[in-house]
Coordinates of all heavy atoms in Angstrom, one line a residue:
G108 N -50.0 20.3 -33.3 CA -51.3 19.8 -33.0 C -51.9 19.0 -34.2 O -53.1 18.6 -34.1
T109 N -51.2 18.8 -35.3 CA -51.7 18.1 -36.4 C -51.4 16.6 -36.2 O -50.3 16.1 -36.2 CB -51.0 18.5 -37.7 OG1 -51.1 19.9 -37.9 CG2 -51.5 17.8 -38.9
Y110 N -52.5 15.8 -36.1 CA -52.4 14.4 -36.0 C -52.0 13.8 -37.3 O -52.5 14.2 -38.3 CB -53.7 13.8 -35.5 CG -54.0 14.0 -34.0 CD1 -54.8 15.0 -33.6 CD2 -53.3 13.2 -33.1 CE1 -55.0 15.3 -32.3 CE2 -53.5 13.5 -31.7 CZ -54.4 14.5 -31.3 OH -54.6 14.7 -30.0
H111 N -51.0 12.8 -37.2 CA -50.5 12.3 -38.4 C -49.9 10.9 -38.2 O -49.6 10.5 -37.1 CB -49.5 13.2 -39.1 CG -48.3 13.4 -38.2 ND1 -48.3 14.3 -37.1 CD2 -47.0 12.9 -38.2 CE1 -47.1 14.3 -36.5 NE2 -46.3 13.5 -37.2
T112 N -49.7 10.2 -39.3 CA -49.0 8.9 -39.3 C -48.3 8.9 -40.7 O -48.6 9.8 -41.5 CB -49.8 7.7 -39.1 OG1 -48.9 6.5 -39.0 CG2 -50.8 7.5 -40.2
L113 N -47.5 7.9 -41.0 CA -47.0 7.8 -42.3 C -46.8 6.3 -42.6 O -46.7 5.5 -41.7 CB -45.7 8.6 -42.5 CG -44.5 8.2 -41.6 CD1 -43.7 7.0 -42.1 CD2 -43.6 9.4 -41.4
V114 N -46.8 6.0 -43.9 CA -46.4 4.7 -44.4 C -45.3 4.8 -45.4 O -45.2 5.7 -46.1 CB -47.7 4.0 -45.1 CG1 -48.7 3.7 -44.0 CG2 -48.2 4.8 -46.2
V115 N -44.4 3.8 -45.3 CA -43.2 3.8 -46.1 C -43.6 3.0 -47.4 O -44.0 1.9 -47.3 CB -42.0 3.2 -45.3 CG1 -40.8 3.1 -46.2 CG2 -41.7 4.0 -44.1
L116 N -43.3 3.6 -48.5 CA -43.7 3.0 -49.8 C -42.5 2.4 -50.6 O -42.8 1.7 -51.6 CB -44.4 4.1 -50.7 CG -45.6 4.7 -50.0 CD1 -46.1 5.9 -50.8 CD2 -46.7 3.7 -49.7
E117 N -41.3 2.6 -50.1 CA -40.1 2.0 -50.8 C -39.1 1.6 -49.7 O -39.0 2.3 -48.7 CB -39.5 3.0 -51.7 CG -40.3 3.4 -52.9 CD -39.6 4.4 -53.8 OE1 -38.4 4.1 -54.2 OE2 -40.1 5.5 -54.1
P118 N -38.3 0.5 -50.0 CA -37.3 0.2 -49.1 C -36.3 1.3 -48.9 O -36.0 2.1 -49.9 CB -36.6 -1.0 -49.7 CG -37.7 -1.6 -50.6 CD -38.5 -0.4 -51.1
N119 N -35.7 1.4 -47.7 CA -34.6 2.4 -47.4 C -35.0 3.9 -47.6 O -34.2 4.7 -48.0 CB -33.4 2.1 -48.3 CG -32.9 0.7 -48.1 OD1 -33.0 0.1 -47.0 ND2 -32.3 0.1 -49.1
T120 N -36.3 4.1 -47.4 CA -36.8 5.5 -47.5 C -36.1 6.3 -46.3 O -36.1 5.9 -45.2 CB -38.3 5.6 -47.4 OG1 -38.8 5.0 -48.6 CG2 -38.8 7.0 -47.3
A121 N -35.5 7.5 -46.7 CA -34.8 8.3 -45.7 C -35.4 9.7 -45.8 O -35.6 10.3 -46.8 CB -33.3 8.4 -46.1

Side-chain angles (χ1 to χ4, degrees):
T109 303
Y110 284 99
H111 62 283
T112 186
L113 60 83
V114 291
V115 177
L116 303 173
E117 293 180 54
N119 304 327
T120 292

